[in-house]
């Protein structure tokens, strides 16, 4: 990651596993919005398959990393979004697990041990309904994409203008 990058937004998942592609869908929506003249030039939008080393490489050296990923929660409510923030070098939040073999928790712990955590890390975990092979999100998860893109933009604005308001 370039040293001058202040913010990284990373969509994690697999766009060919239905709801597991929600992170990629949110990044795609943000890429559409990034064509606006008002879009901050210091925001990098990226996608990742969830590999901890790739995640760490994407958020290394940034002030704010926002990660969007699908999650499994039991019991689950498809489309429900959990916002988890880094506190004391550990993620705190509800009991959800990543849809990948190694989850974000492992990437965070590895980055913490290596001293490579971003200054601030926000994770949006979206409960999925369908992780079968195929493309397209289930209706409940698809309905979460626009509000989630709005929430990510609010996090970006909060970092850029800390006195302008509170987080979503």
């Amino acid at each position: 990651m370039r040293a001058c990058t202040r913010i990284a937004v990373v969509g994690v998942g697999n766009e060919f596993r239905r709801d597991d592609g929600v992170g990629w869908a949110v990044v795609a929506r943000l890429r559409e919005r990034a064509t606006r003249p008002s879009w901050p030039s210091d925001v990098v939008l990226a996608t990742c398959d969830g590999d901890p080393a790739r995640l760490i490489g994407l958020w290394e050296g940034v002030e704010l990393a926002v990660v969007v990923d699908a999650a499994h929660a039991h019991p689950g409510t498809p489309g429900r979004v959990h916002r988890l923030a880094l506190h004391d070098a550990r993620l705190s939040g509800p009991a959800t697990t990543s849809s990948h073999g190694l989850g974000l928790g492992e990437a965070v712990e590895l980055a913490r041990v290596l001293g490579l955590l971003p200054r601030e890390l926000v994770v949006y975990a979206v409960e999925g309904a369908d992780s079968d092979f195929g493309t397209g999100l289930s209706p409940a998860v698809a309905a979460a994409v626009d509000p989630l893109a709005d929430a990510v933009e609010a996090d970006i604005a909060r970092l850029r203008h800390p006195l302008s308001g509170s987080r979503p």
Side-chain angles (χ1 to χ4, degrees):
M1 186 65 48
R2 299 171 315 186
C4 64
T5 300
R6 294 185 57 213
I7 303 166
V9 178
V10 183
V12 176
N14 181 339
E15 64 182 336
F16 300 108
R17 294 293 304 259
R18 309 269 303 153
D19 288 345
D20 192 45
V22 67
W24 290 49
V26 170
V27 167
R29 187 63 39 86
L30 290 170
R31 283 186 175 134
E32 292 169 5
R33 296 177 182 189
T35 61
R36 297 184 311 227
S38 61
W39 186 263
S41 61
D42 59 350
V43 175
V44 171
L45 301 171
T47 54
C48 177
D49 62 4
D51 176 75
R54 287 189 197 104
L55 277 170
I56 292 168
L58 289 167
W59 72 44
E60 182 181 359
V62 302
E63 289 184 47
L64 169 65
V66 179
V67 178
V68 181
D69 194 7
H72 298 292
H74 302 287
T77 303
R80 181 168 53 183
V81 177
H82 302 271
R83 185 183 189 277
L84 306 110
L86 188 70
H87 295 289
D88 300 322
R90 301 204 191 289
L91 282 176
S92 61
T96 62
T97 59
S98 172
S99 58
H100 315 288
L102 289 175
L104 287 171
E106 289 85 357
V108 169
E109 182 61 16
L110 179 59
R112 185 189 65 76
V113 169
L114 297 173
L116 299 174
L117 282 171
R119 197 177 90 201
E120 182 177 356
L121 175 64
V122 173
V123 175
Y124 287 97
V126 183
E127 294 181 27
D130 183 357
S131 61
D132 289 339
F133 291 107
T135 58
L137 303 174
S138 65
V141 173
V145 171
D146 278 326
L148 191 46
D150 293 342
V152 171
E153 282 195 88
D155 280 320
I156 293 168
R158 181 183 46 79
L159 179 70
R160 296 177 59 75
H161 309 287
L163 301 177
S164 65
S166 61
R167 70 175 177 84

